[in-house]
Short mmCIF file of all heavy atoms in Angstrom, two decimals:
data_model
loop_
_atom_site.label_atom_id
_atom_site.label_comp_id
_atom_site.label_asym_id
_atom_site.label_seq_id
_atom_site.Cartn_x
_atom_site.Cartn_y
_atom_site.Cartn_z
N PHE D 1 0.77 -1.24 0.00
CA PHE D 1 0.00 0.00 0.00
C PHE D 1 0.80 1.29 0.00
O PHE D 1 0.24 2.36 0.16
CB PHE D 1 -0.96 0.00 1.19
CG PHE D 1 -1.91 -1.15 1.19
CD1 PHE D 1 -1.90 -2.06 2.22
CD2 PHE D 1 -2.79 -1.33 0.15
CE1 PHE D 1 -2.78 -3.14 2.22
CE2 PHE D 1 -3.67 -2.41 0.13
CZ PHE D 1 -3.66 -3.31 1.17
N GLU D 2 2.12 1.24 -0.21
CA GLU D 2 2.88 2.49 -0.20
C GLU D 2 2.49 3.39 -1.36
O GLU D 2 2.62 4.61 -1.26
CB GLU D 2 4.38 2.23 -0.17
CG GLU D 2 4.94 1.69 -1.45
CD GLU D 2 6.45 1.47 -1.35
OE1 GLU D 2 7.09 2.13 -0.53
OE2 GLU D 2 6.96 0.65 -2.10
N ASN D 3 1.98 2.84 -2.44
CA ASN D 3 1.60 3.65 -3.60
C ASN D 3 0.33 4.48 -3.37
O ASN D 3 0.00 5.32 -4.18
CB ASN D 3 1.42 2.77 -4.84
CG ASN D 3 0.29 1.78 -4.69
OD1 ASN D 3 0.00 1.31 -3.60
ND2 ASN D 3 -0.34 1.44 -5.79
N ILE D 4 -0.36 4.26 -2.25
CA ILE D 4 -1.55 5.07 -1.97
C ILE D 4 -1.37 5.95 -0.74
O ILE D 4 -2.35 6.44 -0.18
CB ILE D 4 -2.83 4.20 -1.84
CG1 ILE D 4 -2.71 3.19 -0.71
CG2 ILE D 4 -3.16 3.54 -3.15
CD1 ILE D 4 -4.01 2.47 -0.42
N GLY D 5 -0.12 6.17 -0.33
CA GLY D 5 0.13 7.17 0.70
C GLY D 5 0.64 6.68 2.04
O GLY D 5 0.78 7.46 2.97
N PHE D 6 0.93 5.40 2.18
CA PHE D 6 1.46 4.89 3.45
C PHE D 6 2.99 4.87 3.38
O PHE D 6 3.56 4.32 2.45
CB PHE D 6 0.91 3.50 3.76
CG PHE D 6 -0.54 3.53 4.14
CD1 PHE D 6 -1.53 3.31 3.20
CD2 PHE D 6 -0.91 3.79 5.44
CE1 PHE D 6 -2.87 3.35 3.55
CE2 PHE D 6 -2.25 3.84 5.80
CZ PHE D 6 -3.23 3.62 4.86
N VAL D 7 3.63 5.48 4.39
CA VAL D 7 5.08 5.61 4.41
C VAL D 7 5.60 5.21 5.78
O VAL D 7 5.04 5.59 6.82
CB VAL D 7 5.50 7.07 4.12
CG1 VAL D 7 7.01 7.21 4.13
CG2 VAL D 7 4.93 7.54 2.79
N ARG D 8 6.68 4.46 5.79
CA ARG D 8 7.31 4.03 7.04
C ARG D 8 8.00 5.22 7.69
O ARG D 8 8.71 5.97 7.03
CB ARG D 8 8.30 2.91 6.76
CG ARG D 8 8.87 2.31 8.03
CD ARG D 8 9.71 1.11 7.67
NE ARG D 8 8.85 -0.03 7.48
CZ ARG D 8 8.92 -1.15 8.18
NH1 ARG D 8 9.83 -1.29 9.11
NH2 ARG D 8 8.09 -2.14 7.96
N ILE D 9 7.81 5.36 9.03
CA ILE D 9 8.45 6.46 9.75
C ILE D 9 9.36 5.95 10.88
O ILE D 9 10.08 6.73 11.47
CB ILE D 9 7.41 7.45 10.32
CG1 ILE D 9 6.45 6.74 11.26
CG2 ILE D 9 6.69 8.16 9.19
CD1 ILE D 9 5.58 7.67 12.09
N SER D 10 9.26 4.67 11.17
CA SER D 10 10.14 4.05 12.16
C SER D 10 10.12 2.55 11.91
O SER D 10 9.38 2.06 11.07
CB SER D 10 9.67 4.36 13.59
OG SER D 10 8.49 3.66 13.90
N LYS D 11 10.91 1.84 12.67
CA LYS D 11 10.98 0.39 12.49
C LYS D 11 9.61 -0.26 12.72
O LYS D 11 9.27 -1.26 12.10
CB LYS D 11 12.00 -0.19 13.47
CG LYS D 11 12.23 -1.66 13.32
CD LYS D 11 13.29 -2.15 14.28
CE LYS D 11 13.50 -3.65 14.11
NZ LYS D 11 14.49 -4.16 15.06
N SER D 12 8.80 0.34 13.58
CA SER D 12 7.53 -0.28 13.93
C SER D 12 6.29 0.54 13.55
O SER D 12 5.19 0.21 13.96
CB SER D 12 7.49 -0.54 15.44
OG SER D 12 7.61 0.67 16.14
N SER D 13 6.46 1.61 12.73
CA SER D 13 5.31 2.47 12.41
C SER D 13 5.27 2.89 10.95
O SER D 13 6.30 3.15 10.33
CB SER D 13 5.34 3.74 13.26
OG SER D 13 5.28 3.44 14.62
N VAL D 14 4.04 3.01 10.45
CA VAL D 14 3.75 3.49 9.10
C VAL D 14 2.66 4.54 9.25
O VAL D 14 1.72 4.36 10.02
CB VAL D 14 3.24 2.33 8.21
CG1 VAL D 14 2.72 2.85 6.89
CG2 VAL D 14 4.34 1.31 7.98
N VAL D 15 2.78 5.65 8.51
CA VAL D 15 1.78 6.71 8.60
C VAL D 15 1.11 6.92 7.24
O VAL D 15 1.73 6.69 6.20
CB VAL D 15 2.42 8.04 9.11
CG1 VAL D 15 3.34 8.64 8.07
CG2 VAL D 15 1.36 9.04 9.53
N ASN D 16 -0.15 7.33 7.28
CA ASN D 16 -0.89 7.70 6.07
C ASN D 16 -0.62 9.18 5.82
O ASN D 16 -1.04 10.03 6.59
CB ASN D 16 -2.39 7.44 6.29
CG ASN D 16 -3.22 7.74 5.07
OD1 ASN D 16 -2.77 8.36 4.12
ND2 ASN D 16 -4.46 7.28 5.10
N ILE D 17 0.08 9.48 4.76
CA ILE D 17 0.46 10.87 4.46
C ILE D 17 -0.76 11.78 4.39
O ILE D 17 -0.69 12.94 4.77
CB ILE D 17 1.27 10.93 3.14
CG1 ILE D 17 2.68 10.39 3.38
CG2 ILE D 17 1.33 12.33 2.58
CD1 ILE D 17 3.56 10.39 2.16
N TYR D 18 -1.88 11.28 3.94
CA TYR D 18 -3.09 12.10 3.79
C TYR D 18 -3.71 12.49 5.13
O TYR D 18 -4.61 13.32 5.18
CB TYR D 18 -4.12 11.37 2.93
CG TYR D 18 -3.65 11.17 1.52
CD1 TYR D 18 -3.22 9.92 1.09
CD2 TYR D 18 -3.62 12.22 0.61
CE1 TYR D 18 -2.78 9.73 -0.21
CE2 TYR D 18 -3.18 12.03 -0.69
CZ TYR D 18 -2.77 10.79 -1.09
OH TYR D 18 -2.33 10.61 -2.38
N LYS D 19 -3.27 11.88 6.21
CA LYS D 19 -3.82 12.17 7.54
C LYS D 19 -2.90 13.07 8.36
O LYS D 19 -3.15 13.31 9.53
CB LYS D 19 -4.08 10.87 8.31
CG LYS D 19 -5.05 9.93 7.63
CD LYS D 19 -6.42 10.53 7.49
CE LYS D 19 -7.41 9.52 6.92
NZ LYS D 19 -8.73 10.08 6.75
N ILE D 20 -1.85 13.59 7.76
CA ILE D 20 -0.92 14.46 8.47
C ILE D 20 -1.41 15.90 8.44
O ILE D 20 -1.76 16.42 7.38
CB ILE D 20 0.50 14.37 7.86
CG1 ILE D 20 1.06 12.96 8.05
CG2 ILE D 20 1.43 15.41 8.46
CD1 ILE D 20 2.40 12.72 7.37
N GLN D 21 -1.40 16.52 9.61
CA GLN D 21 -1.78 17.93 9.70
C GLN D 21 -0.56 18.82 9.53
O GLN D 21 -0.58 19.79 8.78
CB GLN D 21 -2.45 18.21 11.05
CG GLN D 21 -2.97 19.62 11.18
CD GLN D 21 -3.77 19.78 12.45
OE1 GLN D 21 -3.55 19.11 13.44
NE2 GLN D 21 -4.73 20.68 12.40
N LYS D 22 0.53 18.50 10.26
CA LYS D 22 1.76 19.28 10.11
C LYS D 22 2.95 18.47 10.59
O LYS D 22 2.81 17.47 11.30
CB LYS D 22 1.67 20.61 10.85
CG LYS D 22 1.76 20.52 12.35
CD LYS D 22 1.76 21.90 12.98
CE LYS D 22 1.96 21.79 14.48
NZ LYS D 22 2.11 23.07 15.12
N LEU D 23 4.13 18.94 10.19
CA LEU D 23 5.39 18.32 10.58
C LEU D 23 6.21 19.37 11.34
O LEU D 23 6.17 20.55 11.00
CB LEU D 23 6.18 17.87 9.35
CG LEU D 23 5.49 16.88 8.43
CD1 LEU D 23 6.28 16.72 7.14
CD2 LEU D 23 5.32 15.54 9.11
N GLN D 24 6.95 18.91 12.34
CA GLN D 24 7.78 19.83 13.11
C GLN D 24 9.11 19.15 13.45
O GLN D 24 9.12 18.01 13.91
CB GLN D 24 7.07 20.23 14.41
CG GLN D 24 7.84 21.16 15.29
CD GLN D 24 7.08 21.49 16.55
OE1 GLN D 24 5.84 21.51 16.55
NE2 GLN D 24 7.80 21.73 17.62
N GLY D 25 10.21 19.85 13.20
CA GLY D 25 11.52 19.32 13.53
C GLY D 25 11.68 19.17 15.04
O GLY D 25 11.08 19.91 15.83
N ASP D 26 12.49 18.20 15.45
CA ASP D 26 12.72 17.92 16.86
C ASP D 26 14.22 17.78 17.07
O ASP D 26 15.01 17.78 16.12
CB ASP D 26 12.00 16.61 17.22
CG ASP D 26 11.97 16.33 18.72
OD1 ASP D 26 12.09 17.28 19.51
OD2 ASP D 26 11.83 15.15 19.09
N LEU D 27 14.61 17.62 18.30
CA LEU D 27 16.01 17.39 18.61
C LEU D 27 16.48 16.09 17.96
O LEU D 27 15.69 15.21 17.65
CB LEU D 27 16.21 17.30 20.12
CG LEU D 27 15.84 18.55 20.91
CD1 LEU D 27 15.95 18.27 22.40
CD2 LEU D 27 16.72 19.72 20.52
N ASN D 28 17.78 15.97 17.77
CA ASN D 28 18.38 14.77 17.19
C ASN D 28 17.88 14.48 15.77
O ASN D 28 17.83 13.33 15.35
CB ASN D 28 18.16 13.55 18.08
CG ASN D 28 18.76 13.73 19.44
OD1 ASN D 28 19.84 14.30 19.57
ND2 ASN D 28 18.07 13.27 20.46
N MET D 29 17.46 15.51 15.05
CA MET D 29 17.00 15.41 13.66
C MET D 29 15.77 14.52 13.48
O MET D 29 15.49 14.05 12.39
CB MET D 29 18.14 14.94 12.75
CG MET D 29 19.26 15.97 12.67
SD MET D 29 20.55 15.50 11.53
CE MET D 29 19.67 15.35 10.01
N ARG D 30 15.05 14.27 14.54
CA ARG D 30 13.79 13.54 14.39
C ARG D 30 12.71 14.54 13.99
O ARG D 30 12.91 15.75 14.04
CB ARG D 30 13.41 12.86 15.70
CG ARG D 30 14.39 11.80 16.12
CD ARG D 30 13.96 11.07 17.35
NE ARG D 30 13.60 11.99 18.41
CZ ARG D 30 13.11 11.64 19.59
NH1 ARG D 30 12.93 10.38 19.87
NH2 ARG D 30 12.81 12.54 20.50
N VAL D 31 11.56 14.02 13.58
CA VAL D 31 10.44 14.87 13.17
C VAL D 31 9.20 14.46 13.94
O VAL D 31 8.90 13.26 14.05
CB VAL D 31 10.19 14.74 11.64
CG1 VAL D 31 8.96 15.53 11.22
CG2 VAL D 31 11.41 15.18 10.85
N ILE D 32 8.49 15.45 14.48
CA ILE D 32 7.21 15.19 15.13
C ILE D 32 6.13 15.32 14.06
O ILE D 32 6.06 16.32 13.35
CB ILE D 32 6.93 16.17 16.28
CG1 ILE D 32 8.03 16.08 17.33
CG2 ILE D 32 5.56 15.88 16.90
CD1 ILE D 32 7.93 17.15 18.40
N ILE D 33 5.30 14.29 13.95
CA ILE D 33 4.20 14.28 12.98
C ILE D 33 2.91 14.51 13.75
O ILE D 33 2.56 13.73 14.63
CB ILE D 33 4.14 12.94 12.23
CG1 ILE D 33 5.44 12.71 11.45
CG2 ILE D 33 2.93 12.91 11.30
CD1 ILE D 33 5.54 11.33 10.84
N TYR D 34 2.21 15.59 13.43
CA TYR D 34 0.92 15.88 14.04
C TYR D 34 -0.17 15.39 13.08
O TYR D 34 -0.23 15.82 11.92
CB TYR D 34 0.75 17.38 14.28
CG TYR D 34 1.70 17.93 15.31
CD1 TYR D 34 2.97 18.38 14.97
CD2 TYR D 34 1.33 17.99 16.65
CE1 TYR D 34 3.84 18.88 15.91
CE2 TYR D 34 2.20 18.49 17.62
CZ TYR D 34 3.46 18.93 17.24
OH TYR D 34 4.32 19.42 18.18
N LEU D 35 -1.00 14.49 13.57
CA LEU D 35 -2.06 13.93 12.73
C LEU D 35 -3.35 14.74 12.88
O LEU D 35 -3.54 15.45 13.87
CB LEU D 35 -2.31 12.47 13.10
CG LEU D 35 -1.12 11.53 12.91
CD1 LEU D 35 -1.45 10.14 13.41
CD2 LEU D 35 -0.70 11.49 11.46
N LYS D 36 -4.25 14.59 11.93
CA LYS D 36 -5.52 15.33 11.94
C LYS D 36 -6.45 14.91 13.07
O LYS D 36 -7.39 15.62 13.38
CB LYS D 36 -6.23 15.16 10.59
CG LYS D 36 -5.49 15.83 9.46
CD LYS D 36 -6.18 15.60 8.13
CE LYS D 36 -5.40 16.25 7.01
NZ LYS D 36 -6.01 15.99 5.70
N ASN D 37 -6.17 13.77 13.71
CA ASN D 37 -7.00 13.34 14.84
C ASN D 37 -6.42 13.79 16.18
O ASN D 37 -6.89 13.40 17.23
CB ASN D 37 -7.19 11.82 14.84
CG ASN D 37 -5.90 11.05 15.07
OD1 ASN D 37 -4.82 11.61 15.10
ND2 ASN D 37 -6.03 9.75 15.22
N GLY D 38 -5.36 14.62 16.15
CA GLY D 38 -4.77 15.15 17.37
C GLY D 38 -3.61 14.34 17.92
O GLY D 38 -2.92 14.79 18.84
N GLU D 39 -3.34 13.17 17.37
CA GLU D 39 -2.23 12.35 17.87
C GLU D 39 -0.91 12.84 17.28
O GLU D 39 -0.88 13.51 16.26
CB GLU D 39 -2.44 10.88 17.50
CG GLU D 39 -3.58 10.24 18.28
CD GLU D 39 -3.58 8.74 18.14
OE1 GLU D 39 -2.53 8.12 18.42
OE2 GLU D 39 -4.62 8.19 17.76
N GLN D 40 0.17 12.47 17.96
CA GLN D 40 1.51 12.81 17.52
C GLN D 40 2.34 11.54 17.39
O GLN D 40 2.25 10.66 18.23
CB GLN D 40 2.20 13.73 18.52
CG GLN D 40 1.55 15.07 18.69
CD GLN D 40 2.23 15.87 19.79
OE1 GLN D 40 3.37 15.63 20.14
NE2 GLN D 40 1.51 16.83 20.33
N LEU D 41 3.13 11.48 16.32
CA LEU D 41 4.05 10.37 16.10
C LEU D 41 5.45 10.94 15.94
O LEU D 41 5.61 12.09 15.53
CB LEU D 41 3.67 9.59 14.84
CG LEU D 41 2.27 8.99 14.78
CD1 LEU D 41 2.01 8.41 13.39
CD2 LEU D 41 2.09 7.93 15.84
N ILE D 42 6.45 10.14 16.23
CA ILE D 42 7.84 10.54 16.04
C ILE D 42 8.43 9.78 14.86
O ILE D 42 8.36 8.55 14.82
CB ILE D 42 8.69 10.26 17.30
CG1 ILE D 42 8.11 10.98 18.52
CG2 ILE D 42 10.14 10.62 17.06
CD1 ILE D 42 8.27 12.48 18.50
N MET D 43 8.98 10.52 13.91
CA MET D 43 9.67 9.90 12.79
C MET D 43 11.15 9.81 13.13
O MET D 43 11.77 10.83 13.44
CB MET D 43 9.49 10.71 11.51
CG MET D 43 10.17 10.08 10.32
SD MET D 43 10.22 11.10 8.81
CE MET D 43 8.87 12.20 8.95
N ASN D 44 11.70 8.63 13.07
CA ASN D 44 13.12 8.45 13.31
C ASN D 44 13.91 9.04 12.15
O ASN D 44 13.47 9.00 11.00
CB ASN D 44 13.47 6.98 13.48
CG ASN D 44 12.92 6.42 14.76
OD1 ASN D 44 12.54 7.15 15.68
ND2 ASN D 44 12.86 5.10 14.85
N ARG D 45 15.07 9.57 12.45
CA ARG D 45 15.86 10.27 11.42
C ARG D 45 16.29 9.36 10.28
O ARG D 45 16.48 9.83 9.16
CB ARG D 45 17.04 10.98 12.04
CG ARG D 45 18.03 10.08 12.69
CD ARG D 45 19.17 10.87 13.28
NE ARG D 45 20.07 9.95 13.96
CZ ARG D 45 20.62 10.19 15.09
NH1 ARG D 45 20.41 11.33 15.70
NH2 ARG D 45 21.42 9.31 15.64
#
């Protein structure tokens, strides 16, 4: 399903790009992913 917007963000997580509200840089070059449902995920560098 990667061709329809699912992308791996860590060894154990995949996110739906269409459900992302915003991205924010974090310490250690990680990225905080804010989802449209209010949850936050951490993308490993």
Side-chain angles (χ1 to χ4, degrees):
F1 301 119
E2 72 179 335
N3 64 328
I4 60 172
F6 289 95
V7 180
R8 186 173 278 240
I9 59 168
S10 71
K11 184 178 180 182
S12 61
S13 300
V14 171
V15 70
N16 182 347
I17 286 180
Y18 295 104
K19 300 297 185 181
I20 295 175
Q21 185 172 29
K22 73 176 185 174
L23 302 170
Q24 179 181 329
D26 190 23
L27 298 174
N28 300 322
M29 294 184 59
R30 295 184 310 176
V31 175
I32 301 172
I33 299 172
Y34 294 88
L35 299 176
K36 293 178 181 177
N37 66 352
E39 290 193 53
Q40 297 175 21
L41 302 173
I42 302 290
M43 181 189 335
N44 291 343
R45 63 180 177 221

